[in-house]
Amino acid sequence: MTAAQGLPGALAAHLAISAAALLLAVLVAAPLVLLMPGRPWLQRSVMGIASVVQTVPALALLALFFPLLVLVRNLTGLPVPSLGLLPSLLALALYALLPLLRGGAGGLAAIPESVRDAARAIGMTRWQRLFHVELSLAAPVVFGGLRTAAVWTIGAATLATMVGQESLGDLIFAGLQLQDWRQVLLGCAAAAGLAMIVDAGLGLVESGIARRRRGPALIGLMVLALLAAAVSGWWWHSRPASQAAPVVIGTKTFSEQYILAELIAADLRRSGQPVAVRSGLGSGIAFQSVKAGGIDIGIDYSGTLWTQALGRSDVVPRGEMLAILRRELQARHGVTVAASLGFENAYALAMKRDAAQRLGVKTISDLVRVAPQLRLATDLEFQSRAEWAGLQRAYGLRFAAIRAYTPVLMMAALGDNSADVITAYSSDGALSTTDVVLLVDDRGALPAYDALLVVAPGRDALAKRLARYEGRIPVAVMRAANWQADRPSDKRSPADAARWLATQTGLK
Amino acid sequence: MQAGNCVGLCHNIPVNGAPFLECRGLRLILGGQPVLGGIDLAVPAGALVALVGASGAGKTSLLRLINRLLAPDAGQILIQGQDIMAQDAVAVRRGIGHAVQGGGLFPHWTVADNIGAVPWLLGWDRQRRQARALELMAMLELPAHLASRFPGELSGGQASRVGLARALAASPRLLLLDEPFGALDPETRDALADRLHALHRAQGLTTLIVTHDLADALLRADLMLVLDQGRIIASGPPTAIAANPHPAVQALLAAPLAQARALAGLTP
């Protein structure tokens, strides 16, 4: 699926989730604001809470709603969804609350006491005072808050992608990972355009209300209505004609996942099965989505599921781990492991080939001897993972220095001699070209990360259809496919890389 | 009580039987503090009554009670013999012209809309409201071209006139004015007070006016009520007030009288 094809759906979903969150926030903020005058304690506590919420990064707020909703589901036994629409809606609404409360409270507080007094004294009813005096006078400030909230919400809604809600973030995050800047730009431009049009529409309504002129207010409302109609119309026209519910494939945020998703999608589509790809899910959220049935097919790794789904931290041999996973995922979560693809995307320690030869290092045991003179570069999370603790326990490794880098920079750190040893991922495309060797884990301290296709509960036919992927993708072929999507120049799209992978492996 | 006796004392007011406005044993407590402690009052129809007294004496609160912006903790308020607490508050307010402290013009409404506010609440059509607004503007010597202006564009004197016009718009029988000329220069204030006096007479209004301008009260009011710490300490026509020996009343009068004497000494 190219970026432009995904745009109408993402745009419509983005607008819908933003509008729904804003509406919810207004429904919560309005009564609070109207209750505030004369209740300073209410104003203080509500504004305090809203300010604290605002200091939480939007991404963290979205992520926090996942465990929160799981907790609610466990406590109440209600079928509360913890992914997708609900957490996005709640988090975005909460985020929009502060500007709305500020605008509302500020607007009402700015009304002179004598004006409120006069409105009562001349015999206006409560509602007449509210509409003709308080809200009309507060409208410019209230609408200022509403515009801020709308722009923030539309911006933050791109992050809803991470908890499995379709949005323009789908384009942005997939584009970032693939370094497809056109796609990133398309997603950003669409979000910015949306924000600007909504802001302008609300601005017209605001000036209309402030100057008691119906014209601009009506034009503003028309702008907003036209926007909604245009976006939903475009989405309606570009939506796939097929009426059958599509099989949904979920991906995490890196190229290997995108390529494998395209490989499977193309395969299923050939048999007339409609397929939708939900890309850019957070790592922990991907499996949860499969478990909950929001996603039919997930691509995951045995070591990840071992800790995240089974809650285990011990290291067992590769084959045994796979057998336990197949049994336990089915028994505990109803999830079927349809196929083990045949390669690992495991943590490994890597060195430049010449340095390794010069120092005589082939295995991690060999490394122990020279490590105190070497510098290690890890990804951001490695040092807090069980793998690092396991390595230290098994080998007693000590380095001269340890530095954390973002994954894309680690290979560069090795290249410019900022580091001597790095943590690598065994299916990393860069390994297929760079002169780097992976050190053998001779004591079996690092857990296996076999790539697996996992299928949601109750999709047995689908699981059976995917069984033919078992053991079909060797690690060297996967690396080469990844490199096609990741290399700095002459990049291919995940779909193209997937086509190449299909011919190489015969998975056509 | 002195206030109750006032009806008989007011020789220059035509008194036809029952008083127009009557307060009986009014008490008001706000935030635990007694604001008004037993107000008895009878105002004959057509009287211009000035409420004077130090700040915090309860003058504004008394007006607000009469317009049902506050509810008394004890006592009764009767307008033309009817207990206003037994009536709908909004209806009571629409029947009374009340110019609140500070004016309280609606900044987002034009002058004409401000003046036509009560008529609008009473369901008058647009044309009739506009005509009434222009009529009142003429009466209060406001140029007609101001009708479409907003309060923010008016001078202090013009805003005060608009406030007065708004209170008069629906032809109330009772007018409550809370320092209507408070922030004006003396010349404008004097001219406007004269205008009000004439209107009050011509329209047959009963008017209660809270003022800090003792000279205005003494020279133009039919009756004066002197409030001190929530009680009426003196009431009657200005001549009687001027002669009242109560120390608080004399203290109130001392400044304007001294000023008048000094001014008289200046002129040849």
Side-chain angles (χ1 to χ4, degrees):
Chain A
M1 184 164 60
T2 69
Q5 280 172 331
L7 184 60
L11 198 60
H14 198 96
L15 190 62
I17 182 82
S18 303
L22 203 58
L23 184 69
L24 181 62
V26 168
L27 290 179
V28 173
L32 286 173
V33 165
L34 292 176
L35 285 172
M36 273 180 196
R39 291 181 182 82
W41 56 270
L42 181 71
Q43 175 152 8
R44 267 198 309 277
S45 47
V46 168
M47 298 299 259
I49 292 169
S51 302
V52 168
V53 166
Q54 208 66 63
T55 62
V56 180
L59 184 57
L61 199 62
L62 277 160
L64 281 174
F65 265 96
F66 169 66
L68 201 67
L69 289 171
V70 169
L71 188 71
V72 169
R73 186 170 51 201
N74 293 344
L75 287 180
T76 62
L78 295 170
V80 180
S82 53
L83 288 165
L85 184 65
L86 190 65
S88 316
L89 192 63
L90 295 176
L92 291 174
L94 204 55
Y95 214 57
L97 222 45
L98 184 68
L100 289 176
L101 290 171
R102 278 230 180 102
L108 289 183
I111 299 173
E113 196 51 44
S114 66
V115 171
R116 290 171 182 279
D117 221 27
R120 278 185 78 207
I122 66 167
M124 283 192 175
T125 62
R126 178 175 268 283
W127 290 109
Q128 286 169 333
R129 292 197 316 262
L130 183 64
F131 285 108
H132 296 288
V133 178
E134 293 174 10
L135 288 187
S136 304
L137 274 175
V141 189
V142 169
F143 260 82
L146 185 64
R147 287 167 71 180
T148 307
V151 171
W152 283 11
T153 305
I154 290 170
T158 53
L159 300 171
T161 292
M162 302 301 257
V163 289
Q165 164 62 38
E166 187 177 11
S167 79
L168 288 169
D170 292 18
L171 302 180
I172 297 172
F173 287 108
L176 275 178
Q177 182 53 43
L178 300 167
Q179 304 192 336
D180 178 351
W181 307 120
R182 284 211 341 252
Q183 195 175 339
V184 175
L185 217 59
L186 187 66
C188 291
L194 213 54
M196 279 162 66
I197 295 172
V198 168
D199 188 50
L202 289 173
L204 281 169
V205 177
E206 172 191 333
S207 75
I209 291 177
R211 296 185 321 200
R212 290 190 97 197
R213 296 256 313 272
R214 208 164 283 166
L218 283 180
I219 295 173
L221 287 176
M222 260 159 55
V223 167
L224 296 177
L226 272 176
L227 174 70
V231 168
S232 49
W234 191 21
W235 165 73
W236 186 259
H237 270 281
S238 64
R239 152 194 76 103
S242 139
Q243 292 303 305
V247 164
V248 182
I249 307 175
T251 80
K252 304 184 188 188
T253 56
F254 46 94
S255 306
E256 181 170 293
Q257 296 260 328
Y258 299 137
I259 295 169
L260 290 171
E262 291 299 338
L263 177 75
I264 298 164
D267 180 9
L268 294 178
R269 282 192 189 115
R270 264 193 300 277
S271 61
Q273 168 67 53
V275 179
V277 177
R278 292 280 308 109
S279 55
L281 299 172
S283 171
I285 282 166
F287 180 74
Q288 296 295 336
S289 300
V290 172
K291 197 172 95 180
I295 278 171
D296 300 306
I297 305 172
I299 303 148
D300 226 311
Y301 304 92
S302 56
T304 307
L305 296 175
W306 187 250
T307 51
Q308 285 181 356
L310 302 187
R312 293 181 64 158
S313 57
D314 50 331
V315 177
V316 301
R318 193 172 167 185
E320 193 179 327
M321 181 188 264
L322 257 178
I324 294 172
L325 272 173
R326 283 182 194 274
R327 195 174 65 232
E328 292 292 311
L329 289 182
Q330 183 67 258
R332 283 205 220 171
H333 305 299
V335 171
T336 309
V337 177
S340 171
L341 295 175
F343 72 92
E344 274 193 272
N345 185 354
Y347 269 112
L349 295 184
M351 293 178 76
K352 276 187 176 171
R353 188 180 302 280
D354 54 352
Q357 274 166 1
R358 182 161 39 81
L359 295 168
V361 175
K362 284 198 177 99
T363 66
I364 300 179
S365 291
D366 297 337
L367 184 64
V368 174
R369 182 171 40 81
V370 291
Q373 283 88 52
L374 302 178
R375 293 155 304 164
L376 174 68
T378 74
D379 65 24
L380 297 172
E381 57 179 297
F382 185 74
Q383 291 167 55
S384 53
R385 288 184 68 110
E387 281 82 358
W388 179 230
L391 270 184
Q392 285 178 306
R393 223 177 13 249
Y395 298 97
L397 275 172
R398 301 191 69 85
F399 286 91
I402 304 181
R403 266 272 187 69
Y405 289 83
T406 60
V408 286
L409 289 180
M410 281 191 311
M411 209 59 86
L414 199 59
D416 71 2
N417 291 318
S418 304
D420 308 299
V421 183
I422 63 169
T423 60
Y425 316 109
S426 55
S427 62
D428 188 340
L431 295 175
S432 64
T433 60
T434 322
D435 218 6
V436 166
V437 287
L438 297 183
L439 305 183
V440 177
D441 174 20
D442 50 321
R443 292 187 192 167
L446 291 169
Y449 279 85
D450 279 298
L452 308 176
L453 296 184
V454 286
V455 173
R459 307 301 307 263
D460 295 340
L462 194 59
K464 220 162 264 156
R465 199 171 175 313
L466 295 174
R468 74 185 188 105
Y469 283 77
E470 180 75 32
R472 292 288 286 278
I473 307 178
V475 69
V477 179
M478 192 67 235
R479 274 184 199 153
N482 286 341
W483 186 240
Q484 292 180 4
D486 284 340
R487 62 194 171 198
S489 60
D490 187 27
K491 239 182 235 307
R492 292 201 193 167
S493 72
D496 286 341
R499 265 190 289 281
W500 180 85
L501 187 61
T503 49
Q504 291 296 307
T505 56
L507 286 165
K508 284 197 275 195
Chain B
M1 289 296 289
Q2 296 167 12
N5 298 336
C6 152
V7 180
L9 287 173
C10 308
H11 55 274
N12 57 344
I13 306 292
V15 181
N16 311 319
F20 181 82
L21 166 71
E22 200 176 354
C23 301
R24 295 178 184 160
L26 269 191
R27 282 174 197 283
L28 176 68
I29 299 167
L30 288 179
Q33 297 293 315
V35 176
L36 291 173
I39 298 286
D40 290 288
L41 173 68
V43 176
L48 177 63
V49 183
L51 275 65
V52 300
S55 294
K59 308 182 294 292
T60 294
S61 295
L62 182 55
L63 289 198
R64 295 173 70 82
L65 279 172
I66 295 169
N67 201 18
R68 290 210 51 183
L69 294 175
L70 292 171
D73 291 283
Q76 267 189 314
I77 300 169
L78 308 174
I79 294 178
Q80 295 182 300
Q82 305 291 312
D83 183 353
I84 64 163
M85 296 307 289
Q87 301 166 40
D88 176 51
V90 165
V92 168
R93 291 175 195 149
R94 289 177 184 176
I96 294 175
H98 187 177
V100 299
Q101 210 168 12
L105 294 181
F106 302 137
H108 57 313
W109 289 17
T110 61
V111 164
D113 285 347
N114 263 287
I115 296 175
V118 183
W120 170 69
L121 291 173
L122 295 172
W124 296 18
D125 64 47
R126 184 169 191 83
Q127 228 174 347
R128 195 171 158 213
R129 294 201 306 266
Q130 189 72 15
R132 178 62 175 159
L134 289 171
E135 183 188 358
L136 283 162
M137 288 175 73
M139 260 191 244
L140 286 159
E141 295 165 332
L142 280 164
H145 72 88
L146 292 181
S148 56
R149 296 286 176 81
F150 288 90
E153 306 168 67
L154 304 178
S155 71
Q158 289 167 340
S160 291
R161 286 168 207 263
V162 173
L164 208 53
R166 182 170 69 180
L168 289 165
S171 307
R173 302 277 322 270
L174 178 60
L175 199 55
L176 306 175
L177 307 175
D178 199 343
E179 294 188 52
F181 317 129
L184 302 181
D185 63 90
E187 245 176 284
T188 312
R189 186 166 59 199
D190 216 45
L192 210 41
D194 271 341
R195 196 75 220 162
L196 171 66
H197 194 240
L199 271 174
H200 162 84
R201 283 274 171 273
Q203 313 258 321
L205 296 166
T206 303
T207 303
L208 265 63
I209 177 167
V210 168
T211 182
H212 283 289
D213 185 346
L214 263 291
D216 177 33
L218 287 164
L219 296 174
R220 294 194 185 88
D222 301 316
L223 283 170
M224 288 176 72
L225 295 174
V226 185
L227 274 83
D228 186 54
Q229 297 182 15
R231 292 176 182 280
I232 297 175
I233 56 165
S235 69
T239 45
I241 297 295
N244 192 305
H246 193 293
V249 178
Q250 287 307 315
L252 212 56
L253 293 172
L257 288 178
Q259 210 174 20
R261 272 194 296 275
L263 281 172
L266 275 181
T267 45

